[in-house]
Amino acid sequence: MSTSEIATVLAWHDAVNDNDVETLLELSSDDIVLPTDDDDEDQGLDELREWATTAGVTLTPGRMFVHSGIVVVEETATWASEPDKAEPEALAFRVVDDQVVSVYRHPTLEHALEATRLSEDDLYEG
């Protein structure tokens, strides 16, 4: 298990929460794959920049699971449009060479673990 993958994902969260788009782009691969609201995918830094400047989200990470470059984060998302409504979710990241290459959004931790084939055995206890 690599703590650099955890550090990359936590720095990615910090960049999103601080609206630090330049750092977010530096932490992401040129061809990053991102989820969309219509269950499709967007790809690339231009799409990430657009999302980061318009999303208005704060991500509060909780438990993290990591194995072979996959990091699943159980978290709470709070959107600027509904600041009193925090929503639980899970994000699954693929990290290669200290860069996020993909992010997938899941409605629950269980769904994210099933989709990534991670389990409670992969809980990060750092």
Side-chain angles (χ1 to χ4, degrees):
M1 165 178 355
S2 172
T3 57
S4 72
E5 294 151 347
I6 295 292
T8 299
V9 168
L10 288 174
W12 201 92
H13 277 75
D14 288 344
V16 168
N17 293 342
D18 294 340
N19 200 24
D20 183 351
V21 176
E22 292 311 311
T23 298
L24 185 65
L25 296 176
E26 290 171 10
L27 291 167
S28 304
S29 70
D30 292 345
D31 57 351
I32 186 170
V33 175
L34 303 163
T36 64
D37 289 335
D38 58 6
D39 292 329
D40 202 3
E41 294 177 352
D42 283 337
Q43 187 169 1
L45 293 178
D46 289 339
E47 296 293 336
L48 178 59
R49 180 187 304 278
E50 181 179 337
W51 175 81
T53 56
T54 62
V57 66
T58 299
L59 302 172
T60 306
R63 294 186 302 162
M64 295 182 285
F65 301 79
V66 60
H67 185 80
S68 297
I70 303 293
V71 179
V72 170
V73 182
E74 180 179 41
E75 60 191 26
T76 303
T78 307
W79 300 90
S81 60
E82 297 181 274
D84 296 329
K85 183 180 176 189
E87 294 184 24
E89 65 177 19
L91 292 179
F93 295 82
R94 175 83 171 133
V95 179
V96 175
D97 296 328
D98 297 325
Q99 286 195 313
V100 174
V101 298
S102 65
V103 181
Y104 290 94
R105 192 171 175 194
H106 299 276
T108 65
L109 175 63
E110 292 75 23
H111 188 270
L113 293 176
E114 182 179 321
T116 59
R117 296 189 177 146
L118 271 63
S119 71
E120 291 288 335
D121 293 339
D122 299 305
L123 178 63
Y124 175 70
E125 309 236 15

